[in-house]
Amino acid sequence: AQKITQTQPGMFVQEKEAVTLDCTYDTSDPSYGLFWYKQPSSGEMIFLIYQGSYDQQNATEGRYSLNFQKARKSANLVISASQLGDSAMYFCAMREGSGNEKLTFGTGTRLTIIP
Amino acid sequence: EAGVAQSPRYKIIEKRQSVAFWCNPISGHATLYWYQQILGQGPKLLIQFQNNGVVDDSQLPKDRFSAERLKGVDSTLKIQPAKLEDSAVYLCASSPRFWRGGFYEQFFGPGTRLTVL
């Protein structure tokens, strides 16, 4: 089974609207972490936000928030007030176990912001 | 602060040839990673170094891939001989081993795009 599933290959969103990118995960480890990365056309992966499995509140970082639903094993990224510069590939990733640094990535969602 | 540097940015080779990629991590970062990103997929970890020691190379195809980290700083990833399926972007990342309340942040370089013909 896929550890990280991103079911939206591509999304088009109007500028200034909010957008939700879906991510579901699969693990039997009670300690895990979930990440979102942005990959612009320049190629480097840019860290956006992190959610730990024991965190009680949903993570937020500026315009980014993570909608963490543990029972459903979902960790959707919400971008508020989208901007043209948000156009990029977005990857959900997971690390399993405490202190483990190995990341497993999903296949990504290509987000295009329309002016 | 300078980011993770990688070279070359692009490389085209024939199958069965050899190729090497170079990575210079952010100064002071103890951990270095090499990822392989095949078109349409997310990155896959190939090898992780802590200083100059290997922490995890479970997904490195050791019959053709090798990697080293010289003096715990720069690193090279080599493929010998290359196959068509090795066409991918090879990403290098480094981490300062600073626990950010649940994780070690990884900082990525721009990658090397390899095409094997």
Side-chain angles (χ1 to χ4, degrees):
Chain A
Q2 293 289 330
K3 287 188 176 288
I4 295 287
T5 302
Q6 294 181 255
T7 57
Q8 306 153 309
M11 289 189 70
F12 291 84
V13 173
Q14 204 74 37
E15 189 180 8
K16 298 179 186 175
E17 289 186 350
V19 55
T20 298
L21 304 181
D22 296 340
C23 173
T24 57
Y25 60 92
D26 183 31
T27 181
S28 57
D29 199 312
S31 177
Y32 55 90
L34 297 156
F35 301 74
W36 278 92
Y37 281 84
K38 173 183 179 181
Q39 188 176 41
S41 57
S42 53
E44 75 280 16
M45 304 284 284
I46 301 169
F47 166 75
L48 297 178
I49 197 166
Y50 168 83
Q51 180 84 41
S53 59
Y54 296 119
D55 294 344
Q56 295 296 312
Q57 294 189 323
N58 287 344
T60 58
E61 290 280 357
R63 293 187 299 113
Y64 304 107
S65 61
L66 200 151
N67 185 0
F68 181 46
Q69 297 188 46
K70 197 169 183 176
R72 297 179 61 185
K73 293 191 173 180
S74 75
N76 299 339
L77 177 70
V78 180
I79 306 174
S80 64
S82 57
Q83 302 170 357
L84 296 178
D86 294 333
S87 293
M89 285 291 292
Y90 287 81
F91 290 92
C92 181
M94 177 174 64
R95 63 147 185 86
E96 296 174 272
S98 177
N100 181 19
E101 300 168 57
K102 180 178 178 179
L103 296 180
T104 301
F105 287 83
T107 52
T109 296
R110 180 171 296 281
L111 176 64
T112 303
I113 306 301
I114 305 166
Chain B
E1 178 180 77
V4 176
Q6 291 188 246
S7 68
R9 289 297 312 276
Y10 305 91
K11 190 73 177 179
I12 300 174
I13 61 172
E14 302 275 339
K15 61 182 178 183
R16 291 187 289 274
Q17 285 187 324
S18 301
V19 64
F21 313 126
W22 174 82
C23 172
N24 181 230
I26 294 172
S27 178
H29 282 195
T31 309
L32 185 146
Y33 314 80
W34 282 102
Y35 289 86
Q36 179 193 57
Q37 186 177 17
I38 294 172
L39 186 65
Q41 300 181 19
K44 181 183 80 172
L45 179 69
L46 292 177
I47 189 167
Q48 176 187 342
F49 291 96
Q50 177 67 23
N51 295 311
N52 59 355
V54 176
V55 174
D56 184 346
D57 63 357
S58 57
Q59 298 189 105
L60 185 74
K62 298 180 185 65
D63 57 334
R64 297 183 301 106
F65 285 64
S66 65
E68 61 180 0
R69 189 172 184 197
L70 305 172
K71 299 180 181 178
V73 181
D74 293 5
S75 178
T76 56
L77 177 69
K78 297 179 181 177
I79 307 175
Q80 181 179 6
K83 293 185 175 181
L84 296 177
E85 58 262 35
D86 298 332
S87 293
V89 174
Y90 291 84
L91 294 164
C92 180
S94 68
S95 172
R97 296 290 295 179
F98 173 72
W99 190 245
R100 276 190 60 176
F103 67 102
Y104 297 107
E105 184 172 352
Q106 296 184 27
F107 297 81
F108 284 79
T112 296
R113 183 176 297 277
L114 173 67
T115 302
V116 181
L117 303 176

